[in-house]
């Protein structure tokens, strides 16, 4: 949890959704809310092309929410790799997102990879490539894991 909430480790991701259960249940849709921004700010935001907020900008809120004497009952973060990194791993014409679901429940954390396809394909090589990429990523960040 420390690497997720207290470091820049996952800052190459966007937050698509989150749910944190503490004394209350906090749910967040990571979609950027256009109404919050001025016209000029929105034009600037559109240059980066992100439909969702960055994990980097959301992380401090969740760090503050989760830190404390007691662990949360559970949480779930769905992170999507920023689009500029997608083409180095998968074919952008059929893959719309590479995802990591970070779950915490009953004192245990789990990470589940996922691929969102924008077109039908029988080719599942993107899933294998993404799994291998995530393994290398976790290893490079010294995050200990076991596979099931």
């Amino acid at each position: 949890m420390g690497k997720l909430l207290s470091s820049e480790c996952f800052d190459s991701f966007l937050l698509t959704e989150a749910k944190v259960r503490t004394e209350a249940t906090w749910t967040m849709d990571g979609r950027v809310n256009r109404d919050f921004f001025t016209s000029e700010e929105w034009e600037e935001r559109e240059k980066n092309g992100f439909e969702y907020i960055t994990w980097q900008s959301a992380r401090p809120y969740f760090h503050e929410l989760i830190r404390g004497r007691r662990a949360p009952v559970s949480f779930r973060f769905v992170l999507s790799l920023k689009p500029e990194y997608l083409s180095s791993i998968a074919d952008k014409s059929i893959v719309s997102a590479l995802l990591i679901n970070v779950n915490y429940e009953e004192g245990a954390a789990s990470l589940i990879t996922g691929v969102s396809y924008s077109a039908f394909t029988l080719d599942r090589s993107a899933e294998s490539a993404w799994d291998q990429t995530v393994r290398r990523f976790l290893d490079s960040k010294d995050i200990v894991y076991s596979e099931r």
Side-chain angles (χ1 to χ4, degrees), residues 107-126:
S110 65
L111 187 143
I112 301 166
T113 58
V115 175
S116 178
Y117 292 95
S118 56
F120 177 77
T121 181
L122 294 174
D123 180 9
R124 296 294 183 217
S125 60

Side-chain angles (χ1 to χ4, degrees), residues 6-31:
S6 302
S7 76
E8 299 172 354
C9 188
F10 288 86
D11 285 357
S12 56
F13 290 86
L14 305 173
L15 176 68
T16 62
E17 64 182 78
K19 183 176 184 179
V20 179
R21 291 181 59 219
T22 56
E23 73 276 10
T25 299
W26 305 86
T27 305
M28 179 181 193
D29 174 1
R31 207 172 298 275

Side-chain angles (χ1 to χ4, degrees), residues 24-145:
T25 299
W26 305 86
T27 305
M28 179 181 193
D29 174 1
R31 207 172 298 275
V32 174
N33 184 1
R34 182 180 184 149
D35 296 337
F36 181 75
F37 300 96
T38 66
S39 297
E40 295 80 22
E41 289 171 328
W42 186 253
E43 285 178 25
E44 187 63 32
R45 279 199 69 88
E46 282 189 315
K47 290 179 185 175
N48 73 23
F50 298 155
E51 181 180 354
Y52 297 97
I53 63 170
T54 63
W55 175 247
Q56 180 180 12
S57 66
R59 180 169 34 89
Y61 297 107
F62 291 109
H63 182 265
E64 190 64 29
L65 182 63
I66 291 174
R67 76 182 184 124
R69 292 185 193 145
R70 298 165 94 179
V73 174
S74 65
F75 65 70
R76 177 174 180 243
F77 298 114
V78 180
L79 304 175
S80 177
L81 188 65
K82 287 182 179 175
E84 67 252 32
Y85 303 118
L86 194 140
S87 61
S88 65
I89 300 165
D91 181 354
K92 286 177 79 169
S93 67
I94 58 170
V95 173
S96 59
L98 297 171
L99 306 163
I100 292 179
N101 293 289
V102 182
N103 300 302
Y104 174 82
E105 194 166 28
E106 297 180 3
S110 65
L111 187 143
I112 301 166
T113 58
V115 175
S116 178
Y117 292 95
S118 56
F120 177 77
T121 181
L122 294 174
D123 180 9
R124 296 294 183 217
S125 60
E127 294 169 20
S128 178
W130 180 227
D131 286 347
Q132 290 173 4
T133 301
V134 170
R135 282 186 203 102
R136 285 192 305 272
F137 171 78
L138 296 173
D139 291 340
S140 73
K141 303 296 183 183
D142 294 321
I143 297 174
V144 178
Y145 62 94

